[in-house]
Amino acid sequence: MIGAEIRGFSDSWSTPEGFARYVRELRGQASENWPRPDGYVLCTTLRWVDGARYLGRIAIRHRLNARLRITGGHLGYDVRPSARRRGHATLMLARALPVAQALGINPALLTCDPTNLGSRAVIERARGILENCGNGQLASGYPPPQRNPDHPVDADLRPSGSPDRPQPRAAHRRKRIRTLEHVAGEQDATVREEDRGLVILTAMADARRVEMDWQAYHRLVRRACFVCELLADKPNYAHHVVHRDGVAVAFLSRFPLWPGHLLVAPATHVEDVVAVDVAQYLAVQRVVHAAGRALVAEVETERLYVLSLGSLQGNRHVHWHLVPLPPGVPYEQQQVTALAPERGHLDIPDQAQADLASRLRIRMNLDSVSGS
């Protein structure tokens, strides 16, 4: 996995252009239309980081071919040598399994060499079920992830300081202490739970600002409720949906003021915020909060603007705009000025919007699994 990338990109990794090419290649591997060598399948690559420090990565292969059924499986991972033997692989795999399930992988297959005791222990700690031992490989399958608050891995996935986070069992605690003895004296020996997480490689798409076609826009939003039409899957009102459930829908704006401009609306038709009961309002705001967390994790943001607009003469369905203001915008051009319609909107390529929606969708899934 990493060998092919070293052969193809290591000579240019040190340059911004070369690394951008590498990022585009990894992101493209998750697209059906991306050209790939024979024998390669769709693959989503996630990074395991501590703040800005890279610790490892995991590749999720969307489907298996004959070779991967024997060696490789759905998931492959590696941890940088200086960060090994600290539990990163176990948590990385635990966080990635729900992402695999969201991609339709159920059950997931992971293989390792029987002599690789470290990888075997990682698989066993993540509750892998041994399927067979042949062709020089151990093959383990994972059923759909189910949270068990008494299991050490699931306990580690709780946010630090959570009142319902159980204390690890004594044996598990001793094991972690013994592991830390191997890195005693290193400056960065431990990784705080709240700083550790999976991220997706990002690359900001080039976009130009264009003038708004107000006549076409008003015809669209006054003809019908654009949120209800979206929820009814009407083609004229299609958007890149990030999240959808019985409470709310979150989707990228078709007329983004800034990269990442996103809307959240109740799943039922509502025209007045104060007419909504408190429980429903708070449930929708939880989606707003989760979408905001995903946005600032995936899009460079100096300030996240959250505001509710709309009109009884058009856009009647209550909705909230989440607009990430990028760093570097002069103060005089921020706040209301940054959202002025006279500025026009960004013309972002549809594929770039689809990629961003996919990353935000996975980010929101990761946050819900980790309990953040």
Side-chain angles (χ1 to χ4, degrees), residues 41 89 94 118 153 158 168 171 370:
V41 300
V153 170
R158 301 283 186 87
S370 66

Side-chain angles (χ1 to χ4, degrees), residues 22-349:
Y22 170 61
V23 168
R24 285 194 297 271
E25 171 65 27
L26 286 191
R27 291 179 61 216
Q29 290 174 7
S31 171
E32 287 279 4
N33 300 324
W34 193 262
R36 55 179 54 83
D38 290 341
Y40 281 67
V41 300
L42 272 75
C43 181
T44 293
T45 298
L46 305 173
R47 294 300 206 212
W48 185 245
V49 299
D50 173 20
R53 184 171 181 250
Y54 169 80
L55 297 172
R57 62 88 171 266
I58 191 161
I60 304 175
R61 305 173 187 107
H62 297 199
R63 52 179 175 258
L64 300 179
N65 55 26
R67 177 179 60 83
L68 291 172
R69 287 189 181 92
I70 298 172
T71 304
H74 287 103
L75 295 100
Y77 59 87
D78 44 68
V79 177
R80 65 185 296 171
S82 63
R84 290 173 184 166
R85 302 182 65 84
R86 305 186 201 178
H88 292 300
T90 300
L91 283 176
M92 183 164 63
L93 179 57
R95 292 277 181 91
L97 284 170
V99 180
Q101 187 184 22
L103 292 170
I105 301 169
N106 180 15
L109 175 69
L110 195 145
T111 70
C112 75
D113 190 300
T115 62
N116 189 338
L117 301 182
S119 286
R120 184 168 182 171
V122 167
I123 295 171
E124 291 171 349
R125 282 196 293 269
R127 301 192 292 276
I129 301 170
L130 180 65
E131 292 188 341
N132 62 68
C133 183
N135 301 299
Q137 295 284 306
L138 288 176
S140 298
Y142 288 89
Q146 295 181 348
R147 300 291 296 280
N148 176 4
D150 296 323
H151 192 279
V153 170
D154 288 341
D156 281 343
L157 290 176
R158 301 283 186 87
S160 292
S162 175
D164 61 342
R165 176 174 176 167
Q167 292 297 314
R169 289 191 288 265
H172 183 60
R173 188 182 304 116
R174 288 196 300 270
K175 186 171 186 180
R176 290 176 67 85
I177 292 172
R178 286 202 302 271
T179 302
L180 291 178
E181 289 174 356
H182 294 283
V183 292
E186 286 192 24
Q187 183 177 6
D188 202 11
T190 60
V191 180
R192 299 198 309 272
E193 305 293 340
E194 62 267 29
D195 290 341
R196 183 164 41 197
L198 286 172
V199 298
I200 299 177
L201 289 170
T202 60
M204 186 59 66
D206 293 330
R208 60 190 179 94
R209 201 169 280 277
V210 298
E211 186 177 351
M212 186 76 166
D213 184 347
W214 286 108
Q215 289 187 345
Y217 172 77
H218 287 309
R219 283 197 302 270
L220 190 70
V221 301
R222 290 184 171 182
R223 186 169 57 215
C225 171
F226 80 104
V227 176
C228 292
E229 295 294 281
L230 180 158
L231 291 170
D233 298 320
K234 298 295 180 66
N236 288 342
Y237 293 85
H239 290 70
H240 290 292
V241 175
V242 172
H243 172 86
R244 179 174 177 174
D245 60 19
V247 173
V249 58
F251 51 94
L252 293 177
S253 173
R254 287 168 65 170
F255 310 101
L257 298 175
W258 295 98
H261 184 174
L262 179 145
L263 287 78
V264 176
T268 56
H269 188 82
V270 177
E271 296 185 2
D272 187 350
V273 173
V274 297
V276 178
D277 66 67
V278 174
Q280 182 184 5
Y281 179 83
L282 293 177
V284 174
Q285 290 308 303
R286 279 193 287 272
V287 178
V288 170
H289 183 259
R293 283 173 56 92
L295 275 174
V296 299
E298 293 296 334
V299 178
E300 283 191 292
T301 305
E302 178 178 314
R303 182 82 175 205
L304 180 65
Y305 294 144
V306 181
L307 62 161
S308 179
L309 298 174
S311 167
L312 291 180
Q313 300 177 41
N315 290 342
R316 299 169 69 95
H317 198 126
V318 169
H319 58 280
W320 284 263
H321 291 258
L322 283 72
V323 186
L325 180 76
V329 178
Y331 174 74
E332 296 77 13
Q333 298 177 29
Q334 295 186 15
Q335 303 184 87
V336 176
T337 305
L339 307 177
E342 302 81 45
R343 297 175 58 88
H345 67 88
L346 295 177
D347 182 20
I348 301 177

